[in-house]
Amino acid sequence: MKAFVLRSYGSPDVLELTDVDTPVPADDEVLVQVRATSVQPYDWHFMRGEPYIARLMGGLGLRRSKIDILGADVAGQVEAVGRNVTEFRPGDEVFAMPKQGGFSQYVCVRESELAPKPKNLTYEQAAAVPMAANTALLALRDQGRVQPGQKVLVNGASGGVGTFAVQLARAFGAQVTGVCSTRNLDLVRSIGAHEVIDYTREDFTRNGRRYDLLLDNAGNHPGAACRRALTPEGTHVVVGGQAGRWLQPVGRMISTFAASPFVSQRIARADVVQCTENKRNLLTLTELIETGKITPVIDRTYPFEDIPAAIRYQEEGHAPGKVVITI
């Protein structure tokens, strides 16, 4: 099969399109023919090996990536199943978040991580869902403990996680405020935000408004500033942050959590990579998608051979919604 293989850290140019052996599913695995995948910050952190502190902490390989074939999201068709697999059979349309292997024509996924593709989505739309929507769901429902009627602010509302977070918060009955740039104001309104703040004109940490839950995708304000925007018992959920070569966003997360014992607000982190309930969450998301409460927002779609260009565009950090790859 064809796959983009990562042999060393570097720019998107280090990804090599080459022939590799098609994987054989283990007893509890399903071989999926990948029809679409997506790119996201998770991929380019492994590609570039940044921040460097993550290499020392074990999150990334010290000298080269722990992952040879990137691509955390997958949508496609079942090609073959292991002998212990009972839920799927060849031809089934599925999607998953295997965390690696999506930048290839085939990938093996454990049955416990695979879910039927939402019936009303194309493969491209389905590939935009797993990691981003799962992260938003963990941030709001599990870490943020969102309740109907609460005031929720989504900082970075136009990105991959942000567009799902706005819709999910609205679906959970919250009053949603989205923070984004001028060019994305209409987009964020269109997906359900009750109010939109243009960060180029207004600083949400200084306008005097208070929120029950702040979901922070952008990481462009210190933790202390974010707490000013919260009610005394509010919750600050850290999802991402501005990347740096040496320390960020790890350093900002450490400093934010260091204040946790000394403040009244809750501080939490949504870590989808460590989540053990991804399949259950995908089924929850499928129900919301099929009932029309949430839908993926796709900025651009690239063909398989242009994955390096897609990652290069994603690295710029201005994509509204998701960047998807068709295979």
Side-chain angles (χ1 to χ4, degrees):
M1 70 174 185
K2 295 288 186 182
F4 275 93
V5 178
L6 178 64
R7 304 192 190 280
S8 63
Y9 287 131
S11 72
D13 295 329
V14 302
L15 295 172
E16 178 186 353
L17 180 58
T18 187
D19 290 309
V20 299
D21 291 337
T22 302
V24 177
D27 291 347
D28 64 343
E29 289 183 335
V30 174
L31 178 65
V32 177
Q33 179 188 2
V34 183
R35 299 289 298 274
T37 183
S38 72
V39 300
Q40 47 214 330
Y42 177 85
D43 297 311
W44 51 256
H45 280 303
F46 277 93
M47 181 190 70
R48 291 192 177 273
E50 298 174 0
Y52 295 147
I53 191 174
R55 301 191 196 183
L56 300 176
M57 295 171 66
L60 306 172
L62 187 60
R63 297 184 179 276
R64 56 167 293 177
S65 174
K66 291 181 176 180
I67 298 176
D68 294 326
I69 300 177
L70 303 175
D73 291 333
V74 165
Q77 287 177 297
V78 174
E79 180 74 12
V81 300
R83 64 179 181 179
N84 294 336
V85 172
T86 60
E87 187 176 347
F88 300 98
R89 61 185 180 180
D92 287 349
E93 298 183 338
V94 294
F95 74 146
M97 193 191 81
K99 306 181 186 72
Q100 60 180 302
F103 294 172
S104 62
Q105 292 177 313
Y106 294 90
V107 64
C108 285
V109 183
R110 288 199 299 271
E111 181 182 28
S112 61
E113 296 179 340
L114 198 64
K117 179 179 73 67
K119 295 181 177 63
N120 57 337
L121 295 188
T122 65
Y123 287 116
E124 290 78 11
Q125 290 174 310
V129 174
M131 181 166 275
N134 228 328
T135 301
L137 182 63
L138 287 173
L140 290 166
R141 184 196 63 190
D142 298 2
Q143 299 298 329
R145 304 170 190 172
V146 64
Q147 298 295 320
Q150 286 187 327
K151 294 181 178 180
V152 174
L153 183 137
V154 179
N155 185 27
S158 62
V161 175
T163 50
F164 282 111
V166 169
Q167 296 177 80
L168 284 168
R170 177 91 185 222
F172 291 147
Q175 294 290 312
V176 189
T177 297
V179 181
C180 61
S181 64
T182 307
R183 70 186 184 119
N184 293 319
L185 295 175
D186 290 340
L187 167 65
V188 175
R189 288 192 189 97
S190 73
I191 58 175
H194 297 88
E195 182 183 4
V196 183
I197 295 175
D198 182 347
Y199 71 76
T200 69
R201 299 182 179 181
E202 183 179 350
D203 183 347
F204 73 86
T205 70
R206 296 183 178 278
N207 62 14
R209 301 173 194 169
R210 298 290 181 265
Y211 301 90
D212 301 294
L213 171 60
L214 192 164
L215 192 159
D216 192 5
N217 299 303
N220 53 359
H221 293 280
C226 289
R227 290 193 295 274
R228 286 201 303 266
L230 287 171
T231 62
E233 304 299 325
T235 300
H236 178 196
V237 180
V238 180
V239 174
Q242 296 176 330
R245 297 188 67 184
W246 290 93
L247 190 61
Q248 303 303 343
V250 176
R252 180 180 174 275
M253 289 184 179
I254 292 173
S255 63
T256 299
F257 279 91
S260 184
F262 309 104
V263 297
S264 61
Q265 294 104 334
R266 286 184 62 246
I267 303 174
R269 181 189 175 201
D271 188 353
V272 71
V273 176
Q274 301 300 323
C275 179
T276 60
E277 298 291 337
N278 287 324
K279 178 172 183 171
R280 181 174 63 85
N281 291 340
L282 287 176
L283 295 174
T284 297
L285 291 165
T286 293
E287 182 179 354
L288 291 167
I289 290 167
E290 291 183 344
T291 55
K293 294 180 180 178
I294 63 173
T295 188
V297 176
I298 297 176
D299 175 31
R300 293 186 184 182
T301 302
Y302 288 79
F304 180 58
E305 60 269 20
D306 288 345
I307 280 179
I311 295 178
R312 194 172 290 111
Y313 174 65
Q314 173 70 38
E315 281 190 296
E316 295 174 4
H318 301 298
K322 293 287 293 179
V323 177
V324 173
I325 308 297
T326 59
I327 305 177

